[in-house]
Amino acid sequence: MVDTYVSNESMVVLVFISAKGCFGNAEPLRIVQKYDKDGKRTISVIRRSDPVPEKSEIPHEIRMDRPLGVRLSLGFTAACNKQPAKDEKSICLVDGELFPRIRC
């Protein structure tokens, strides 16, 4: 069923992936890339982005500045909770330039 919708070239695809790993290994992105190889109609929301450690590669993945990283024309955004856990920093707070419109 997913393939039916994603293969329709007039659709914009919204993909939710976890911040807990390499974006290139995310199953939803792999499915979408079969039909949208250039990422021209795909936007991705990064979930579970609040507990990302400061030295994580996630900011580089989101900025798409890694040579072999996933590229999406519509880019990435993050779903943030209002308050990160006491001993964690939100990805929004780690690199405020990534998501200037998001208030955590």
Side-chain angles (χ1 to χ4, degrees):
M1 186 167 90
V2 171
D3 290 320
T4 302
Y5 289 104
V6 175
S7 65
N8 183 341
E9 292 187 17
S10 65
M11 296 282 186
V12 173
V13 183
L14 178 64
V15 177
F16 284 81
I17 60 174
S18 175
K20 301 293 182 193
C22 176
F23 291 0
N25 292 332
E27 178 83 18
L29 277 176
R30 284 190 293 185
I31 292 170
V32 170
Q33 286 177 330
K34 286 192 304 189
Y35 302 102
D36 185 24
K37 290 181 182 9
D38 298 328
K40 291 182 180 179
R41 57 188 181 92
T42 303
I43 186 168
S44 183
V45 175
I46 313 305
R47 61 187 179 82
R48 295 173 57 190
S49 58
D50 291 321
V52 173
E54 286 187 54
K55 303 220 187 284
S56 171
E57 288 294 313
I58 297 298
H60 299 290
E61 294 265 8
I62 293 169
R63 270 195 235 98
M64 297 183 282
D65 62 4
R66 295 181 67 205
L68 300 175
V70 175
R71 303 273 189 264
L72 300 176
S73 294
L74 299 177
F76 295 90
T77 191
C80 295
N81 291 325
K82 289 189 176 192
Q83 284 287 348
K86 291 179 185 176
D87 59 340
E88 299 171 336
K89 286 190 175 181
S90 168
I91 189 76
C92 298
L93 301 175
V94 170
D95 193 340
E97 292 181 12
L98 287 176
F99 306 109
R101 296 178 309 232
I102 294 177
R103 301 287 183 253
C104 295

